[in-house]
Amino acid sequence: VPRPAASRSAAGPTQPRGGRWGGAGPLLVAVVAIFCTFSLQGCAFDVPHHMEGNWRKKIDYLIEYEFIEPGKPASTAILNSCSEDLPATVQCSGHGYCKAWSTSVPSSVSFCECDRDWADPECRTRRKSQISAFLWSLFGGIFGADLFYLGYPGWALLKLGTLGGCGLWWVLDVVRTGSGPVYAWNFRVANDLPHWVYVLSTVTVFSLVGFVVALESYLTYRKKKREDIMKLQESEETRHLGKMDDMLEGPRYRMGLQSRNFMDQRDFSGYGATLPSAIPNAGAPYAVPPPPGQAGRFAGPYGPARSL
């Protein structure tokens, strides 16, 4: 529906589609791209290169673990000890047996199947123990002892500097080394840790750690509560010092006004007091001394009893 003329005039003049440059924007971008293509020539310096691959400079795996029969020169080296008919004590260095690569092919090549604690193609390298790695991780993993044992000194120093990643890295490595054989710097560790030992020891150790943390938390809380109570008592003692003195020290002898010729009422109390001042006489007369120069009516220091 077309707008009315009044509305169109109120909206103001319309801008041409395409903005300020109109349809010349894409053409300008294309011109700049072509100019850069013919003007930029790159950098004039030699790129480093090598004539031999870096992997070729490393020791060949087949040469490193080749088999040389005892008593023969290095020129007689062969792929492995399973390539020839040799005694079982010589094959696989006496730490394994020869196993065919494929059972479906009669003349398949054979390789050494090493025992649990040995590795490499000729079973000459002793594996590190999973039990040792797990124990190092459990009791010294927070200081990186397990990674030092596995042959990773760089990661071990990083773990030591962060105290086991504030405990998280330590817990992760305990679970990782106990769950299965992990890689050392060259081969996997020997699978000599029974799973039930890992579960039992982990649950026991972490239960003890949790108990110690809970006990320390409880003792800290109790110590804080005692300090709060002591502070409260100190404030109460400050406010009621006289009352607290009586409670802590017991009754004491308090001397009142000095009596004159035993005529005044006694004003003392405490241990050994014969007649505390707070006890009434129930109307009974007190024994008083006679006037000066007169004898009392009755024998005794005070003479007869009389009413005051």
Side-chain angles (χ1 to χ4, degrees):
V1 178
R3 289 190 301 173
S7 300
R8 289 198 301 268
S9 61
T14 59
Q15 296 292 336
R17 185 174 298 177
R20 180 178 179 182
W21 298 98
L27 180 61
L28 180 61
V29 173
V31 171
V32 172
I34 294 173
F35 174 77
C36 292
T37 302
F38 287 98
S39 61
L40 299 180
Q41 301 297 327
C43 303
F45 65 90
D46 294 334
V47 178
H49 62 280
H50 50 269
M51 303 302 297
E52 185 180 6
N54 291 328
W55 64 275
R56 285 289 187 185
K57 297 179 181 180
K58 296 182 179 180
I59 301 177
D60 196 328
Y61 184 82
L62 298 178
I63 297 177
E64 182 180 3
Y65 296 105
E66 63 185 3
F67 173 73
I68 302 175
E69 190 174 351
K72 292 187 177 181
S75 58
T76 62
I78 56 177
L79 178 62
N80 56 39
S81 56
C82 296
S83 301
E84 296 184 0
D85 294 332
L86 297 172
T89 56
V90 177
Q91 288 181 341
C92 303
S93 303
H95 302 135
Y97 61 92
C98 293
K99 183 178 180 180
W101 176 259
S102 176
T103 56
S104 60
V105 180
S107 59
S108 176
V109 64
S110 298
F111 295 93
C112 289
E113 184 76 16
C114 299
D115 296 337
R116 184 194 65 184
D117 298 333
W118 297 88
D120 82 42
E122 285 299 318
C123 307
R124 289 175 294 200
T125 304
R126 192 174 187 87
R127 298 179 185 269
K128 293 183 179 294
S129 173
Q130 184 186 2
I131 293 180
S132 300
F134 173 70
L135 293 178
W136 279 116
S137 179
L138 186 61
F139 297 106
I142 197 168
F143 305 111
D146 53 339
L147 296 180
F148 279 115
Y149 173 74
L150 294 176
Y152 300 109
W155 289 108
L157 291 175
L158 180 61
K159 191 175 182 181
L160 174 62
T162 59
L163 289 180
C166 298
L168 298 179
W169 194 352
W170 169 53
V171 175
L172 176 63
D173 279 350
V174 168
V175 177
R176 187 175 64 91
T177 56
S179 300
V182 296
Y183 272 102
W185 69 275
N186 50 1
F187 297 100
R188 286 183 182 269
V189 297
N191 188 14
D192 55 356
L193 176 64
H195 191 71
W196 67 269
V197 174
Y198 152 66
V199 174
L200 181 62
S201 57
T202 303
V203 171
T204 302
V205 169
F206 280 98
S207 298
L208 290 176
V209 171
F211 175 77
V212 170
V213 171
L215 181 62
E216 179 65 23
S217 176
Y218 165 72
L219 293 178
T220 303
Y221 173 77
R222 189 176 69 171
K223 181 179 179 182
K224 183 177 181 301
K225 293 297 291 184
R226 285 183 174 180
E227 292 177 353
D228 294 340
I229 293 175
M230 290 180 64
K231 292 179 180 179
L232 181 61
Q233 289 179 350
E234 290 177 359
S235 63
E236 291 293 333
E237 289 175 1
T238 304
R239 291 162 53 186
H240 308 285
L241 183 60
K243 185 177 180 180
M244 293 302 297
D245 288 342
D246 292 341
M247 294 176 60
L248 295 176
E249 300 180 9
R252 294 177 297 173
Y253 177 79
R254 294 180 178 86
M255 192 65 183
L257 297 175
Q258 186 176 3
S259 62
R260 299 183 300 272
N261 297 327
F262 299 98
M263 294 298 294
D264 297 331
Q265 187 178 3
R266 286 150 180 80
D267 190 17
F268 59 87
S269 62
Y271 291 132
T274 58
L275 189 63
S277 60
I279 299 178
N281 61 352
Y286 290 100
V288 296
Q294 297 181 9
R297 295 175 56 187
F298 301 98
Y302 297 109
R306 66 175 180 174
S307 299
L308 295 176

